[in-house]
Amino acid sequence: MGRRTAWWRVAVVGIVLGAVAGAPVSPGFAASASPSTSPPASPSPSATTSSYAFAEGAPSVTGAADTADAESLEPGTTYRSSLPSDGKVYYRLPLDGTSTVYVAATAVPPTDVAVTPTEGVRVSVQDADGRSCSAADTASIGAGRSPRPLTVWGARQLSPNRSLCQGAGTYYVVVERVLRTESTPGDWDLELAPVLEPRLRKAGSTSAPEAWDSATPSPPAGAAVRVRGGGGFGSATALEQGVWRDDVRPGQTLFYEVPVDWGQQVYATADLSSSRDGGAGGGFVPGGVNLALYNPARGLVDATSISYNGSQKSGALAALPPVGYDNRYAVSDRVNGMRFAGAYYLVVHLAARVGEEFGDGPVGLMLRVRVKGEATVGPGYAGQSKPSGIFQVGLLGRGSGAAGQADSSGGDGAVGGGGAGMKLVAVGGIGAGTVVLVVLGVWVVVGRRRAAGV
């Protein structure tokens, strides 16, 4: 009897452990955990020559020269396209009359072409009568004169303060190159990421907050954790509050994502190490380092440019307000960009000219990230976002879901967090828990029957 009981217990433990170990764990779940502390492998040659990692499996669309031939974009799906040197390209955007839709466009110049500081890309969303639904957003190369990904966003925003672009119908995304008179001819690669934000269940304020804590806290201190930045929005490396150590090569752009919930503020600084000669050669690169923060819909919130002379340099983002739905009614980009919770993206670019002045070797990068404040309940959306869960933080979120339910994250590379993966983990966890309970129940019944001599 004792041997049989011992065997039974061993069998139960084996089944339980097997059930738990067999629960599906997805990359999405892993992305939400703390980053790996192991030193990153040296980047391969292909990694250093590619300026952007496009969303894996993104369908291709062709920008049309006029609206009649425009291909449709579906919110929640990330697309790959191209942007010609001259002229505008159009994409069709069929919309309902109850949702706000944002469209981010990331234009990627080839790494081996000459670019000028003023050239760049512009995007706008227009209605069927050619009227812009919001001011066109433009991004330019900048003083570093280095080919790098440029991200802009347009929107059809539903608001009681607006009368234009409020109805259901066909809208158009318009993308074009700007101020390219001296640039190299040729197409640029393009990534398009349309995002749908549902209306609120209950209408709230229609004005921006009048006051918020604008004091900049001291950057986090302590030992730095090694990480390797991603090559695009869809592959951004997840960071939490803390100090993070990476290496960036001339011409390279690194992407990181930081979860920021409703009511929280995010602060970030970038410290660039000195070159090996410490700037003894007298080299100088204006705008050698660019640090930018984008919101979950890839709208630019704030950016800073740091000139580099071979000595160590540091740059910080401006103080930003807590994440709040009403921030969208502010005039300042730094305020209205902080309009929803989710993954905020830190993007670091080191100008290619740094390599010409100080060598092609990597330069040490230290990111200090602080997330301040307790998370609060979200505004409460009346439907599902697309991609699902893009405006939430964590497995269950805080009041961001549809009709009071948690909104699960996921999507086609538009967000680097773990959404669909989170759902799989939850399902897997429930399945494993069910197996455990069933096995334990059988164990108890068998034990009682044997005690009774059955």
Side-chain angles (χ1 to χ4, degrees):
M1 181 68 178
R3 287 185 178 179
R4 294 183 65 182
T5 303
W7 170 87
W8 178 252
R9 288 175 178 172
V10 171
V12 169
V13 171
I15 294 173
V16 171
L17 293 177
V20 173
V25 178
S26 75
F29 181 78
S32 68
S34 298
S36 170
T37 56
S38 59
S42 299
S44 63
S46 60
T48 58
T49 56
S50 176
S51 63
Y52 189 76
F54 287 86
E56 185 176 354
S60 295
V61 292
T62 301
D66 54 56
T67 57
D69 296 321
E71 294 187 41
S72 290
L73 304 179
E74 176 67 27
T77 300
T78 302
Y79 298 88
R80 184 163 182 174
S81 189
S82 62
L83 185 61
S85 300
D86 297 307
K88 301 176 181 179
V89 289
Y90 295 84
Y91 305 88
R92 191 182 305 270
L93 198 62
L95 300 180
D96 60 31
T98 62
S99 307
T100 291
V101 173
Y102 308 93
V103 182
T106 299
V108 186
T111 57
D112 57 351
V113 302
V115 291
T116 60
T118 56
E119 71 175 299
V121 61
R122 175 185 296 136
V123 68
S124 62
V125 175
Q126 299 177 356
D127 66 9
D129 289 323
R131 298 173 297 187
S132 294
C133 299
S134 59
D137 188 26
T138 302
S140 57
I141 291 294
R145 290 192 290 176
S146 177
R148 62 187 180 94
L150 299 174
T151 301
V152 287
W153 69 330
R156 192 288 299 267
Q157 181 176 330
L158 291 186
S159 169
N161 296 341
R162 298 171 180 263
S163 59
L164 192 63
C165 300
Q166 298 298 290
T170 298
Y171 292 80
Y172 297 94
V173 179
V174 187
V175 190
E176 62 181 317
R177 298 262 295 274
V178 295
L179 298 176
R180 54 155 304 278
T181 53
E182 300 178 10
S183 64
T184 304
D187 293 355
W188 289 2
D189 287 331
L190 188 66
E191 185 172 80
L192 298 164
V195 170
L196 182 146
E197 182 186 27
R199 65 178 177 84
L200 299 183
R201 292 195 302 270
K202 183 180 179 181
S205 171
T206 58
S207 60
E210 295 182 359
W212 48 274
D213 182 5
S214 59
T216 302
S218 58
V225 178
R226 274 276 189 177
V227 293
R228 166 56 64 198
F233 285 103
S235 57
T237 298
L239 302 182
E240 299 171 350
Q241 177 169 292
V243 184
W244 310 99
R245 170 75 166 82
D246 205 344
D247 292 305
V248 58
R249 291 180 177 275
Q252 190 175 35
T253 305
L254 299 178
F255 291 75
Y256 311 85
E257 64 175 26
V258 181
V260 187
D261 217 331
W262 300 102
Q264 293 184 323
Q265 294 173 276
V266 60
Y267 304 87
T269 63
D271 299 335
L272 207 67
S273 71
S274 59
S275 65
R276 290 185 176 181
D277 62 8
F284 181 76
V285 180
V289 188
N290 187 269
L291 170 66
L293 179 73
Y294 295 85
N295 64 29
R298 308 188 185 184
L300 179 64
V301 177
D302 189 32
T304 184
S305 182
I306 311 164
S307 295
Y308 189 69
N309 62 357
S311 298
Q312 62 272 22
K313 294 293 178 182
S314 180
L317 297 176
L320 300 168
V323 172
Y325 186 90
D326 297 341
N327 288 337
R328 67 192 59 212
Y329 302 117
V331 176
S332 167
D333 290 341
R334 289 174 179 168
V335 178
N336 67 46
M338 303 295 295
R339 65 178 63 190
F340 21 57
Y344 279 74
Y345 298 94
L346 285 170
V347 181
V348 179
H349 177 77
L350 182 63
R353 292 176 59 203
V354 171
E356 299 173 6
E357 296 288 343
F358 305 102
D360 291 331
V363 178
L365 171 68
M366 198 86 73
L367 288 172
R368 302 179 188 273
V369 179
R370 183 179 294 279
V371 179
K372 179 182 176 183
E374 293 293 329
T376 60
V377 175
Y381 290 117
Q384 293 286 345
S385 63
K386 295 181 181 181
S388 179
I390 189 173
F391 304 129
Q392 75 169 58
V393 171
L395 179 59
L396 297 179
R398 293 180 176 85
S400 303
Q405 297 179 353
D407 191 8
S408 59
S409 64
D412 306 82
V415 186
M422 295 282 194
K423 183 184 292 184
L424 288 176
V425 170
V427 173
I430 292 171
T434 302
V435 173
V436 171
L437 291 176
V438 170
V439 172
L440 290 178
V442 173
W443 190 0
V444 171
V445 171
V446 172
R448 288 178 177 176
R449 288 172 63 86
R450 286 178 176 167
V454 180

